[in-house]
Protein backbone atom coordinates (compact mmCIF):
# COMPACT_ATOMS: atom_id res chain seq x y z
CA UNK A 1 0.00 0.00 0.00
CA UNK A 2 1.43 3.40 -0.93
CA UNK A 3 0.29 6.75 0.33
CA UNK A 4 0.94 10.04 -1.36
CA UNK A 5 0.68 13.35 0.48
CA UNK A 6 0.84 16.69 -1.27
CA UNK A 7 1.40 19.85 0.69
CA UNK A 8 0.20 23.13 -0.76
CA UNK A 9 2.15 25.89 1.09
CA UNK A 10 -0.16 28.58 -0.27
CA UNK A 11 -3.24 26.87 1.12
CA UNK A 12 -1.55 26.38 4.52
CA UNK A 13 -0.58 30.04 4.60
CA UNK A 14 -4.14 31.13 3.73
CA UNK A 15 -5.55 28.84 6.41
CA UNK A 16 -3.26 30.32 9.03
CA UNK A 17 -4.26 33.85 8.05
CA UNK A 18 -8.01 33.21 8.27
CA UNK A 19 -9.87 35.71 10.42
CA UNK A 20 -11.41 32.97 12.59
CA UNK A 21 -8.56 30.49 12.28
CA UNK A 22 -6.55 28.95 15.08
CA UNK A 23 -3.79 31.53 14.81
CA UNK A 24 -6.24 34.46 14.94
CA UNK A 25 -8.02 33.01 17.99
CA UNK A 26 -4.75 32.45 19.85
CA UNK A 27 -3.55 35.92 18.93
CA UNK A 28 -6.85 37.39 20.17
CA UNK A 29 -6.51 35.51 23.48
CA UNK A 30 -2.94 36.73 24.01
CA UNK A 31 -3.80 40.29 23.04
CA UNK A 32 -6.80 40.33 25.40
CA UNK A 33 -4.67 38.93 28.24
CA UNK A 34 -1.99 41.57 27.65
CA UNK A 35 -4.65 44.32 27.53
CA UNK A 36 -6.05 43.13 30.89
CA UNK A 37 -2.57 43.32 32.42
CA UNK A 38 -2.15 46.83 30.96
CA UNK A 39 -5.49 47.85 32.50
CA UNK A 40 -4.29 46.66 35.91
CA UNK A 41 -0.86 48.34 35.56
CA UNK A 42 -2.21 51.67 34.28
CA UNK A 43 -2.31 54.53 36.79
CA UNK A 44 -5.58 56.07 37.95
CA UNK A 45 -8.47 55.82 35.52
CA UNK A 46 -6.20 55.29 32.51
CA UNK A 47 -7.01 51.56 32.48
CA UNK A 48 -10.60 52.24 31.44
CA UNK A 49 -9.30 53.87 28.23
CA UNK A 50 -7.49 50.71 27.05
CA UNK A 51 -8.91 48.69 24.15
CA UNK A 52 -7.55 45.97 21.88
CA UNK A 53 -8.14 44.48 18.44
CA UNK A 54 -6.65 42.02 15.96
CA UNK A 55 -6.05 43.42 12.49
CA UNK A 56 -4.21 42.65 9.28
CA UNK A 57 -0.74 44.14 9.21
CA UNK A 58 2.04 44.23 6.64
CA UNK A 59 3.30 40.78 7.76
CA UNK A 60 -0.03 39.13 8.58
CA UNK A 61 -2.30 39.36 11.61
CA UNK A 62 -1.23 41.53 14.53
CA UNK A 63 -2.67 42.30 17.93
CA UNK A 64 -3.02 46.00 18.73
CA UNK A 65 -3.53 47.52 22.20
CA UNK A 66 -4.62 51.17 22.31
CA UNK A 67 -4.85 53.62 25.21
CA UNK A 68 -6.93 56.69 24.25
CA UNK A 69 -6.39 58.65 27.47
CA UNK A 70 -5.24 62.21 26.70
CA UNK A 71 -2.24 61.95 29.08
CA UNK A 72 -0.92 58.59 27.86
CA UNK A 73 2.15 60.08 26.18
CA UNK A 74 3.09 62.01 29.32
CA UNK A 75 2.73 58.92 31.51
CA UNK A 76 4.69 56.62 29.18
CA UNK A 77 7.53 59.09 28.52
CA UNK A 78 7.49 61.12 31.75
CA UNK A 79 7.79 64.89 31.90
CA UNK A 80 10.60 67.28 32.69
CA UNK A 81 10.28 69.90 35.42
CA UNK A 82 8.22 72.78 34.07
CA UNK A 83 6.30 75.90 35.03
CA UNK A 84 2.50 75.95 35.00
CA UNK A 85 0.88 79.32 34.40
CA UNK A 86 -2.82 80.22 34.04
CA UNK A 87 -4.04 80.24 30.44
CA UNK A 88 -7.59 81.60 30.58
CA UNK A 89 -7.85 83.23 34.00
CA UNK A 90 -5.45 85.44 35.97
CA UNK A 91 -4.66 82.86 38.67
CA UNK A 92 -4.60 79.10 39.22
CA UNK A 93 -6.94 77.64 41.86
CA UNK A 94 -6.51 74.26 43.53
CA UNK A 95 -6.95 72.58 46.91
CA UNK A 96 -4.02 71.62 49.19
CA UNK A 97 -4.72 69.84 52.49
CA UNK A 98 -8.37 70.90 52.35
CA UNK A 99 -7.50 74.56 51.85
CA UNK A 100 -8.16 76.51 48.63
CA UNK A 101 -4.96 78.05 47.23
CA UNK A 102 -4.64 80.74 44.55
CA UNK A 103 -1.37 81.38 42.70
CA UNK A 104 -0.15 82.62 39.34
CA UNK A 105 2.74 80.14 39.01
CA UNK A 106 3.40 76.50 39.92
CA UNK A 107 6.82 74.84 39.61
CA UNK A 108 5.96 71.27 38.63
CA UNK A 109 8.79 68.85 39.52
CA UNK A 110 8.09 66.59 36.51
CA UNK A 111 7.15 62.91 36.54
CA UNK A 112 9.09 59.70 36.01
CA UNK A 113 8.16 57.57 33.03
CA UNK A 114 5.67 54.75 33.73
CA UNK A 115 5.87 52.26 30.85
CA UNK A 116 2.81 50.24 31.88
CA UNK A 117 2.17 49.10 28.29
CA UNK A 118 5.71 47.75 27.95
CA UNK A 119 5.43 45.92 31.29
CA UNK A 120 2.10 44.41 30.20
CA UNK A 121 3.67 43.23 26.94
CA UNK A 122 6.56 41.57 28.78
CA UNK A 123 4.26 39.93 31.35
CA UNK A 124 1.64 38.83 28.78
CA UNK A 125 4.03 36.62 26.81
Amino acid sequence: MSVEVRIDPGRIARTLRLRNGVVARRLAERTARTARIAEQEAPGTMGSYISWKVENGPRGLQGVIVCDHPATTFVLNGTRPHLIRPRRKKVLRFVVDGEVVFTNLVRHPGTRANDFLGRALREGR
Side-chain angles (χ1 to χ4, degrees):
M1 173 196 298
S2 67
V3 176
E4 184 177 315
V5 176
R6 293 189 184 174
I7 297 175
D8 182 1
R11 184 172 285 183
I12 291 173
R14 284 190 300 276
T15 302
L16 291 176
R17 283 194 303 263
L18 283 175
R19 198 72 178 130
N20 295 324
V22 175
V23 173
R25 285 195 305 269
R26 293 258 169 86
L27 180 60
E29 290 169 7
R30 291 182 73 175
T31 306
R33 182 175 65 232
T34 304
R36 282 193 303 273
I37 294 170
E39 288 172 3
Q40 295 167 357
E41 294 279 333
T45 61
M46 203 168 280
S48 62
Y49 288 84
I50 293 177
S51 61
W52 65 273
K53 59 188 170 193
V54 175
E55 63 185 21
N56 288 321
R59 298 188 316 164
L61 293 175
Q62 62 185 11
V64 179
I65 299 173
V66 178
C67 184
D68 290 330
H69 192 279
T72 302
T73 303
F74 302 118
V75 171
L76 292 175
N77 299 326
T79 60
R80 298 176 68 177
H82 57 281
L83 300 176
I84 301 175
R85 298 179 193 271
R87 296 175 72 186
R88 293 180 187 89
K89 303 287 182 173
K90 293 183 181 181
V91 294
L92 298 169
R93 177 191 182 276
F94 51 94
V95 179
V96 176
D97 296 329
E99 187 175 328
V100 178
V101 177
F102 295 94
T103 185
N104 60 1
L105 176 70
V106 173
R107 296 178 195 278
H108 192 282
T111 57
R112 288 195 337 210
N114 178 355
D115 189 16
F116 65 92
L117 290 174
R119 282 195 311 273
L121 181 61
R122 288 186 293 277
E123 289 179 28
R125 288 184 178 179

